[in-house]
Amino acid sequence: MAYANFGPEDDRAAAPSDEATAELERAFQAKVDAEERIEPKDWMPAAYRKTLIRQMSQHAHSEVVGMLPEGNWITRAPSLRRKVALLAKVQDEAGHGLYIYSATETLGVTRDETIDDLHSGKAKYSSIFNYPTTTWADIGAIGWLVDGAAIVNQVALCRCSYGPYARAMVRICKEESFHQRQGYEIVMTLAQGTDEQREMAQDALDRWWWPSLMMFGPHDTDSPHSQQSMAWKIKRKSNDELRQHFVDMTVPQAEYLGLKIPDPELKWNEERGHYDFGEIDWDEFYAVIKGNGPCNRERLRARLDAHDDGEWVREAATAHAEKRRRRAKKEVAA
Ligand code: BYC
C-alpha cells in the first residue's frame, strides 16, 4: 500500500506549466534551505522523490541482506550470553529494514516493487555484506567496524530533509550503538585473550578494514549523486568527510585494543588534524557493487529462497485480511 496519494507518474499527470514548476521548485528549495522537513504529502521535485526511493530502498535492502553474514553465526555463538546478544542484534536489523521500507512507501512505491528490484538485481545493497564471516571474530569486527561505519553515516541522515527517513534514523542509530558496543566487546575479549584469540581478532580486522571504508561510497569527485543530494540536504556530509570521521574515530579504538590497522600509510597529520590513510582498492569496490564480490550470488540466492519460502505466509495473511474485511462488511450491513 502506498501512503501518499501521488507518485512519480502523478507528478507528470499534474503537468503544471514550466513557470509554475519553477516556482514550486524555488519554494521547495527555500523550505529545504530553511531547515524545514519535507513530508510525504508536500510537493517535491520528481528527481528528489526518485533519489530518495533509490537511496532509502537500497538502505532497507542493506539492513535485510545484512542479517545474513551474522545470522550465519547464531547457532555457533560461543556462549548463551553471546547468542542472546547476537540474536537481538540480527532481529534489530530486520526491524530497521521494515521501518525503512515503510518510510520508502510514503514516497508512493509499494514494498513489492522495491523488493522486486532487489531480487532482479536492479537495486543495490551495501557492498559490505558481500564478504564472508569465516570466524567468530568476524562477528566482533562487524559490530565494531560495520555498525561503527553505519552509525557515522546514519547520524548525518538523522538530519536528512525528508521527515520519515530522518525520523527512522533516530531510533536506528540508538540500536546501532548497542550493536557497535557488543561488537567492540567481542573484539576486546579476543584481543585480551590467548595468542590464538588475538590472532583471530587481528585477522578479522585485516579482512574487514578496507571493505568498511568502502561503505562510504566513492570519492566525492567520483560520486555522481553527491552534489545534488547535498543541495537537497538528503546528504549532510560528503562520502569522504564521513569516511575521514570514521578513520579518526576508529584508529584510537584499535590502538586501545593493541591491534594494528592494515594500512602502512596510516599516519596522524598534525597540520590537517586528521589521520592520512592509504587508497582504497576501487577496482574491488566496483567489482563488488556490480555483483562480483565473494558472496553476491549466495546473498541474493538466500533472499530469493526466503521470499519463496514465505509465500504461504503472505497468502495466509491476505486470506485472513480478506476474511476480516468480509466479516466487518457483514456486521455493518446487519
Ligand atoms: N555499496 O553517488 P554515490 C547496516 C553506489 S546497513 C553499494 O556516492 P549516494 C547494517 C550508489 O548506490 C546500513 N553501492 O551514491 C545492517 C550509487 O549507485 P546507484 C547501510 C554503493 O547514494 C546489518 C553509486 O555507487 N547503510 O548498518 O549519493 C548488519 C554512486 O555512489 C556503495 C546505508 O545504506 C556501497 N558501499 O551515496 C550490520 C546508508 N556506495 O544507486 C549493519 C544509506 C555507493 O546510482 N545510503 N554505492 O546505482 C547512503 O548514505 C548513500 O546511498 C551512500 C552512497 C553513501 C551509500
Side-chain angles (χ1 to χ4, degrees):
M1 178 191 137
Y3 294 99
N5 56 3
F6 44 75
E9 290 77 21
D10 300 315
D11 280 347
R12 283 198 300 273
S17 66
D18 288 352
E19 208 180 307
T21 305
E23 187 44 45
L24 283 166
E25 277 174 3
R26 260 195 303 278
F28 170 85
Q29 191 63 48
K31 200 167 171 185
V32 168
D33 293 343
E35 301 289 334
E36 282 175 48
R37 288 262 158 86
I38 306 300
E39 296 299 337
K41 296 201 179 210
D42 293 343
W43 186 89
M44 61 185 85
Y48 176 85
R49 187 187 299 279
K50 191 170 160 207
T51 297
L52 281 170
I53 292 173
R54 175 186 64 78
Q55 177 170 328
M56 290 167 64
S57 63
Q58 295 189 158
H59 191 161
H61 302 328
S62 304
E63 301 282 357
V64 170
V65 177
M67 289 193 282
L68 296 168
E70 288 172 289
N72 178 34
W73 278 89
I74 291 172
T75 55
R76 291 174 290 164
S79 69
L80 184 62
R81 179 163 100 77
R82 294 290 187 211
K83 191 192 287 259
V84 169
L86 183 59
L87 250 181
K89 176 191 191 299
V90 172
Q91 284 175 344
D92 285 351
E93 309 299 358
H96 299 173
L98 297 181
Y99 310 145
I100 310 172
Y101 280 129
S102 296
T104 312
E105 284 181 294
T106 66
L107 291 156
V109 280
T110 65
R111 194 170 303 199
D112 284 346
E113 286 169 307
T114 49
I115 290 178
D116 283 350
D117 286 347
L118 170 69
H119 291 170
S120 70
K122 186 176 155 205
K124 295 186 172 72
Y125 56 85
S126 183
S127 50
I128 193 76
F129 302 116
N130 292 304
Y131 291 86
T133 40
T134 52
T135 75
W136 170 251
D138 291 4
I139 301 306
I142 291 183
W144 173 30
L145 303 172
V146 176
D147 287 275
I151 294 173
V152 167
N153 168 275
Q154 289 170 172
V155 163
L157 288 173
C158 290
R159 293 193 302 119
C160 165
S161 56
Y162 189 56
Y165 194 24
R167 288 189 289 274
M169 285 304 121
V170 174
R171 173 161 174 184
I172 289 178
C173 282
K174 287 186 182 153
E175 292 175 347
E176 298 288 26
S177 90
F178 150 65
H179 300 168
Q180 198 269 352
R181 292 176 81 94
Q182 71 87 38
Y184 193 70
E185 200 220 350
I186 291 173
V187 182
M188 186 150 50
T189 305
L190 294 171
Q192 293 171 350
T194 62
D195 287 352
E196 200 185 343
Q197 286 174 317
R198 227 181 349 267
E199 274 163 32
M200 271 172 75
Q202 181 62 55
D203 167 63
L205 172 58
D206 291 347
R207 285 180 292 106
W208 289 92
W209 176 252
W210 291 104
S212 298
L213 296 193
M214 292 176 197
M215 286 175 72
F216 296 95
H219 279 312
D220 298 346
T221 44
D222 301 321
S223 160
H225 301 297
S226 275
Q227 204 186 354
Q228 183 61 72
S229 288
M230 298 278 285
W232 279 331
K233 300 190 196 277
I234 292 174
K235 285 168 105 164
R236 292 298 190 135
K237 295 218 164 125
S238 77
N239 298 359
D240 285 327
E241 278 178 283
L242 293 173
R243 188 169 15 243
Q244 180 73 62
H245 180 61
F246 173 74
V247 172
D248 292 347
M249 184 183 95
T250 311
V251 173
Q253 295 172 353
E255 281 168 359
Y256 182 78
L257 295 170
L259 298 177
K260 192 169 171 357
I261 289 186
D263 178 356
E265 291 172 52
L266 185 74
K267 201 164 148 254
W268 178 251
N269 183 325
E270 195 62 52
E271 216 172 291
R272 291 200 312 121
H274 293 290
Y275 282 94
D276 289 337
F277 54 98
E279 194 52 271
I280 287 170
D281 180 347
W282 293 109
D283 290 341
E284 177 180 324
F285 171 77
Y286 287 110
V288 173
I289 70 169
K290 283 188 186 127
N292 298 316
C295 299
N296 293 62
R297 283 169 196 80
E298 187 185 326
R299 300 291 184 239
L300 206 53
R301 185 74 261 152
R303 288 312 315 153
L304 287 165
D305 289 347
H307 194 70
D308 291 347
D309 291 347
E311 178 80 51
W312 70 272
V313 179
R314 292 190 296 279
E315 274 173 14
T318 309
H320 182 66
E322 177 61 19
K323 193 170 82 184
R324 285 175 65 107
R325 193 189 61 79
R326 261 194 261 120
R327 198 178 289 158
K329 211 167 144 195
K330 228 189 256 167
E331 273 167 20
V332 171

